[in-house]
Amino acid sequence: MNQLLPLDFSHQDLRHRDFQSQDLTGANFSGSDLRGCNFQGAILTEANFRGAIIGQSRSKIRTLIARCAGAAIAVTIASTFASFVADGMAGVAALIATGAVAVAITNAENEIIAAILTGTAAVIGSSGIISFLTGNILKALLLFLGSGMIFGLAIILFFQVVVKLEKLSKTSFEDANLINAIFDEAIIEDSNFFKFFSN
């Protein structure tokens, strides 16, 4: 069903908006920032994208990195503090408790799990340094090995999240109806036009 009047989205910051499967016949997106928008399956017949910015938005990636860094630092500080006021086992217990709370609060988001693993690796690595300095070389090597393995797992998980966000942050016109759509003077970079319909 077509709109009675064309929708006016002109000259707005619409980054990451979801227009999937909507009837946007004749809609005016001229001059708008459409980076990261989802137009999959939308009807965009005669829509106006003149001068719009279309492509990839980096804002979600920056937010992800900031969240991961904050969570990793928080876990590391909490565990280290517990280790100093009690003993090593208290640090491990605090680390597990902090991680469990963070995972529960964030519904087990992969980026937070990656941050918790990073904090865990940092705490174990610090214990390895202390063991090395006190002369317990074997314990230090085992701690360094464990720290490296956990950190490696965190990096893999983090990059999986980044790859997913990279895909989601692109403007997508997959399966959209773009018949007579206007893209004059639009800035188009790194967008998905796979299987769209046009003249």
Side-chain angles (χ1 to χ4, degrees):
M1 179 174 133
N2 290 341
Q3 303 289 342
L4 295 176
L5 293 172
L7 297 172
D8 188 1
F9 296 101
S10 60
H11 305 288
Q12 297 181 42
D13 184 350
L14 300 171
R15 283 177 292 179
H16 304 292
R17 287 278 297 271
D18 188 1
F19 297 100
Q20 184 171 0
S21 301
Q22 293 185 28
D23 185 350
L24 300 167
T25 300
N28 182 8
F29 292 97
S30 62
S32 290
D33 189 344
L34 303 174
R35 289 175 292 178
C37 285
N38 179 13
F39 291 101
Q40 291 183 19
I43 301 171
L44 295 162
T45 304
E46 298 181 353
N48 181 3
F49 293 96
R50 182 177 277 113
I53 303 172
I54 298 169
Q56 190 171 42
S57 172
R58 306 297 299 176
S59 60
K60 283 192 173 183
I61 303 294
R62 288 192 291 268
T63 301
L64 167 70
I65 292 170
R67 288 183 68 198
C68 281
I73 291 168
V75 169
T76 304
I77 290 173
S79 303
T80 304
F81 178 75
S83 293
F84 278 118
V85 298
D87 58 20
M89 290 309 295
V92 172
L95 185 64
I96 293 169
T98 305
V101 169
V103 168
I105 290 173
T106 59
N107 296 318
E109 293 177 15
N110 284 349
E111 60 266 30
I112 299 302
I113 295 173
I116 292 166
L117 290 174
T118 302
T120 304
V123 172
I124 294 173
S126 299
S127 299
I129 293 171
I130 293 170
S131 296
F132 181 79
L133 294 176
T134 56
N136 194 338
I137 306 300
L138 180 59
K139 182 179 178 182
L141 290 175
L142 291 173
L143 289 170
F144 288 147
L145 179 62
S147 175
M149 291 173 64
I150 293 170
F151 185 69
L153 182 59
I155 293 295
I156 291 169
L157 198 57
F158 178 74
F159 277 108
Q160 285 178 343
V161 176
V162 169
V163 168
K164 181 180 177 183
L165 278 183
E166 289 276 359
K167 182 179 178 183
L168 292 175
S169 65
K170 296 178 182 178
T171 306
S172 177
F173 291 96
E174 185 175 344
D175 293 322
N177 183 340
L178 293 170
I179 293 174
N180 294 329
I182 302 167
F183 285 92
D184 296 348
E185 300 174 19
I187 301 169
I188 303 174
E189 295 181 358
D190 206 5
S191 299
N192 180 7
F193 284 88
F194 183 66
K195 294 197 304 183
F196 65 92
F197 302 96
S198 67
N199 282 350

